[in-house]
Amino acid sequence: RESGLSLLLETKMLGDGTASTEMICGGTHRVLIEAAVDPEPYRQALTLLAQGKRAVFVKRLVGTPNETLDAVETSLIDAEGCVLCGPAGSIDMGRVARALQSGAASFDATCGLYYEPLLPEEKLLLLGSGHVGQAVARTAASAGFRVTVVDDRPEVIDAAHFDATIQTVVAPYEQAIAEFAFDAATYVVIVTRGHHLDLQCLRAILTRNYRYAGIMGSRRKTRILIEQAIADGFDPEKIDALCTPIGLDIGAESPEELAIAIVAEMIAFRRNARILPALQHARKVRRPASAAD
C-alpha cells in the first residue's frame, strides 16, 4: 500500500439461503494486505525456496480487523523449526509444523498470529515417456508441478507432442539424472520401458535428495528391484520409503487412470495427507524382510 500501512480485512460468509447473494460457505474469510517494511525475512525466504525448502512466515498482527493495523511483525521459520529472523515469542511450533506439513495457512485470533506456509516450486522428474508417462506428465502439469520428461528415444519424445509447459530431455537416463537439479521439492516417477532401465534409474536416484519417488510395475517386479537395491547396499530408509507399486489403489487400468492415481499420491505427499501413514505401513509390510528390518 502506498501509505506504508497494513490492513486486515474480514468477511463473514454466513448467508443462510440459496436465493441470497451472500456467501453460505460458513466461517470468516480474512485477507492481510501487508506493507512489507522489513525486506530481510523475504530475502531469506527466497533463498530457502530456491533450495527447494519449505518455510513459514509467522506474522504478528497488532491492531483490529477491518482497520489499519498498528504493526505487522514478521518471523521466518525454516523446515527444521528454527527461527531465522524476527521475534520468537508466543509462536505455536505445533501450528508451524502443521503449516510446513500441509501447506495450509492458519490464523490464531487469540494471539493475533498468522501462520503462512511457503512452498517451493515442485518439480517432477518423469523417467519414461510411454503412454503412462505422457499421461502423468500432462496430469502433473495441470496440478502445478514443473515437469521434465526424460527418454532415450527421440522419436518417442517427438511423437508425444508435449506442450510448452513440459520440458523434454533426450538422453541416457543415468546422464539425465546426474544433470538434474534435485532438491527437497523434487518428485521422481520411474515409468521406463523395461526393468533394466528402471533399475538404472533407481540406482541413480537413491543417491540424491527428493521428496517423493515411485516406480511403476507389478508387485513381483518392484519386489525384485527393491531386493537388488538392498543387495547393492543403498540406504534402507530410502528404499523403504519408495512408493512401489506406485499410485493410490483406485483400481486404475488405463494410462489416464494410472496418471490420476500417481499424481493423487504425489499430492498426498505435497499436503502430507492423513492417508499417508496407512499407505506407508501397507507398503512396509509387503517389503522383503531385509528391507523392513
Side-chain angles (χ1 to χ4, degrees):
R1 302 178 69 208
E2 292 182 2
S3 67
L5 300 174
S6 300
L7 182 68
L8 182 66
L9 300 177
E10 186 173 283
T11 303
K12 297 185 184 301
M13 298 180 288
L14 302 174
D16 56 6
T18 57
S20 171
T21 58
E22 295 182 355
M23 299 296 288
I24 60 173
C25 308
T28 301
H29 187 202
R30 297 182 179 90
V31 178
L32 173 64
I33 302 173
E34 179 186 2
V37 177
D38 180 9
E40 185 56 28
Y42 298 91
R43 290 196 188 102
Q44 294 194 37
L46 287 173
T47 299
L48 293 175
L49 292 175
Q51 298 170 353
K53 297 179 180 179
R54 294 186 173 203
V56 176
F57 280 141
V58 180
K59 300 183 178 184
R60 187 183 308 277
L61 312 183
V62 182
T64 305
N66 291 323
E67 295 181 6
T68 299
L69 297 173
D70 298 324
V72 176
E73 299 174 347
T74 301
S75 302
L76 177 65
I77 303 176
D78 67 14
E80 285 70 46
C82 298
V83 180
L84 301 182
C85 59
S90 303
I91 292 176
D92 183 340
M93 297 309 293
R95 279 184 183 261
V96 169
R98 290 191 292 274
L100 285 166
Q101 291 172 348
S102 69
S106 67
F107 181 59
D108 183 346
T110 302
C111 298
L113 293 176
Y114 176 55
Y115 296 79
E116 179 185 2
L118 307 173
L119 304 185
E121 183 179 38
E122 292 166 309
K123 304 177 292 186
L124 168 60
L125 178 61
L126 183 56
L127 301 166
S129 64
H131 296 302
V132 174
Q134 292 173 34
V136 170
R138 297 184 177 106
T139 303
S142 71
F145 292 89
R146 180 157 60 88
V147 180
T148 299
V149 181
V150 177
D151 205 294
D152 57 358
R153 302 164 294 172
E155 67 277 9
V156 174
I157 287 281
D158 291 342
H161 301 300
F162 293 112
D163 66 38
T165 65
I166 297 173
Q167 181 181 1
T168 58
V169 175
V170 178
Y173 289 108
E174 290 174 296
Q175 175 187 329
I177 292 169
E179 295 174 351
F180 190 80
F182 281 75
D183 59 31
T186 297
Y187 295 65
V188 185
V189 170
I190 301 175
V191 285
T192 76
R193 64 185 181 278
H195 69 275
H196 61 295
L197 294 173
D198 287 347
L199 182 57
Q200 285 181 17
C201 294
L202 179 59
R203 285 169 167 161
I205 70 164
L206 282 174
T207 63
R208 309 300 295 275
N209 180 34
Y210 49 78
R211 184 173 181 85
Y212 167 94
I215 311 171
M216 190 177 72
S218 67
R219 290 183 182 179
R220 181 177 186 274
K221 169 189 168 179
T222 54
R223 175 175 54 80
I224 291 172
L225 293 176
I226 287 173
E227 288 174 344
Q228 184 60 57
I230 294 167
D232 290 340
F234 288 103
D235 183 349
E237 289 189 5
K238 294 196 78 169
I239 294 172
D240 201 41
L242 291 167
C243 292
T244 58
I246 196 171
L248 298 185
D249 185 2
I250 58 173
E253 293 289 345
S254 70
E256 292 74 19
E257 290 174 344
L258 289 165
I260 291 170
I262 291 168
V263 175
E265 184 170 67
M266 291 164 52
I267 293 170
F269 272 74
R270 170 193 276 174
R271 298 298 180 187
N272 198 40
R274 285 175 290 181
I275 194 176
L276 280 186
L279 287 175
Q280 292 163 334
H281 175 73
R283 284 184 168 125
K284 187 171 183 179
V285 299
R286 292 199 300 263
R287 292 281 193 259
S290 53
D293 291 343

